[in-house]
Amino acid sequence: TTTVAASDPGTYYDGVEGLSGAQLRAALTDLVSDQRVLSYSQVWDGIKDVDEDPQDTSSVVLLYSGTSSPKSNNGGGVDNWNREHVWAKSHGDFGTSAGPGTDLHHLRPTDVTVNSARGNLDFDEGGTQNQEAPGNYADGDSWEPRDADKGDVARMIFYMAVRYEGADGFADLEVNDRTGNGSAPYMGRLPVLKEWNEQDPPSAFEQRRNDRIHDGWQGNRNPFVDHPEWVASIF
């Protein structure tokens, strides 16, 4: 992936600059909560747009494997792709409900088999390499994505924790320093995710995705794609 200068979000962050810590977090929660909420069926079309392969506009780029698959290949079969909730939907029990269950900022196309292997595991390092998607590892309670996706995953998790604070009928999602969180509204591990954010800066693809979600679908942005340095200030 190619790292480029942050995309210009225009006036989106007016009034936020200069804040830090809890004040910055509260301001970002207010900002990103102003969004168009999609239905789960709309997510299919959304993913086909925002995850479109720049080299082949009839395909999408799959998370974890990094391979390209035809947009028409979505479904439930072994070699199809489906919708991966990066913040596992069981962590907070929001399922596919409109809101966190349909938020494109953490929904990505993923090979069905790989999606099943990740399941609802927290994020950490180590384990056995996934044969279908080399570079990804898993053990009994955690999943480690390949290096090229580590920062993407971290920034999606941090977005979810800031966006969903329990004020809109859904659970207050929080990042913690453990694995095996199960159905609790937590996702780990915080120190590892912070490290991944540093190791794998936003790529051109990730920034284009953020722009497309804002411009064509939800009207909100993932602040940590535009300002990855805000992770250290907030978390």
Side-chain angles (χ1 to χ4, degrees), residues 9-17 28 31-34 214 219-223 226:
T11 61
Y12 189 75
Y13 296 107
D14 282 4
V16 173
E17 290 90 343
L28 291 178
L31 186 62
V32 302
S33 296
D34 183 9
H214 172 262
N220 70 342
R221 304 182 68 84
N222 182 339
D226 295 319

Side-chain angles (χ1 to χ4, degrees), residues 126-179:
T128 302
Q129 184 165 229
N130 185 280
Q131 293 184 349
E132 186 89 7
N136 297 265
Y137 298 84
D139 57 26
D141 59 9
S142 71
W143 178 266
E144 178 184 352
R146 68 194 186 109
D147 289 347
D149 289 330
K150 281 182 165 69
D152 306 55
V153 164
R155 288 180 284 274
M156 286 186 277
I157 294 301
F158 292 131
Y159 162 85
M160 292 293 284
V162 165
R163 167 62 184 87
Y164 297 99
E165 293 279 34
D168 49 7
F170 295 105
D172 179 3
L173 306 183
E174 296 294 344
V175 190
N176 66 5
D177 187 14
R178 59 165 293 181
T179 57

Side-chain angles (χ1 to χ4, degrees), residues 2-227:
T2 302
T3 302
V4 299
S7 54
D8 181 5
T11 61
Y12 189 75
Y13 296 107
D14 282 4
V16 173
E17 290 90 343
L19 300 179
S20 62
Q23 287 185 321
L24 175 59
R25 178 171 183 153
L28 291 178
T29 297
D30 288 343
L31 186 62
V32 302
S33 296
D34 183 9
Q35 74 178 93
R36 293 190 295 274
V37 177
L38 306 179
S39 69
Y40 202 47
S41 60
Q42 286 177 305
V43 169
W44 284 122
D45 291 330
I47 284 177
K48 291 174 184 178
D49 174 37
V50 303
D51 288 288
E52 184 178 85
D53 186 343
Q55 307 303 319
D56 177 7
T57 58
S58 67
S59 298
V60 292
V61 178
L62 304 185
L63 184 68
Y64 303 139
S65 62
T67 56
S68 188
S69 182
K71 292 179 180 179
S72 59
N73 194 36
N74 61 285
V78 171
D79 291 320
N80 293 143
W81 62 265
N82 60 5
R83 297 164 288 193
E84 154 79 333
H85 291 75
V86 177
W87 187 292
K89 57 184 182 288
S90 64
H91 290 233
D93 195 30
F94 52 78
T96 58
S97 299
T102 65
D103 196 317
L104 284 173
H105 281 298
H106 85 118
L107 285 161
R108 300 290 291 268
T110 308
D111 176 87
V112 166
T113 306
V114 178
N115 192 346
S116 177
R118 187 265 158 142
N120 70 343
L121 296 172
D122 290 271
F123 293 103
D124 198 1
E125 296 180 339
T128 302
Q129 184 165 229
N130 185 280
Q131 293 184 349
E132 186 89 7
N136 297 265
Y137 298 84
D139 57 26
D141 59 9
S142 71
W143 178 266
E144 178 184 352
R146 68 194 186 109
D147 289 347
D149 289 330
K150 281 182 165 69
D152 306 55
V153 164
R155 288 180 284 274
M156 286 186 277
I157 294 301
F158 292 131
Y159 162 85
M160 292 293 284
V162 165
R163 167 62 184 87
Y164 297 99
E165 293 279 34
D168 49 7
F170 295 105
D172 179 3
L173 306 183
E174 296 294 344
V175 190
N176 66 5
D177 187 14
R178 59 165 293 181
T179 57
N181 279 299
S183 62
Y186 305 119
M187 187 68 70
R189 293 182 52 230
L190 177 58
V192 173
L193 292 166
K194 291 177 70 174
E195 184 177 337
W196 291 352
N197 175 59
E198 296 282 345
Q199 289 178 348
D200 175 34
S203 65
F205 181 87
E206 190 180 358
Q207 291 170 344
R208 186 196 72 163
R209 189 176 196 278
N210 198 26
D211 290 339
R212 288 194 174 190
I213 293 173
H214 172 262
D215 296 344
W217 295 93
Q218 296 183 180
N220 70 342
R221 304 182 68 84
N222 182 339
F224 304 111
V225 175
D226 295 319
H227 291 278

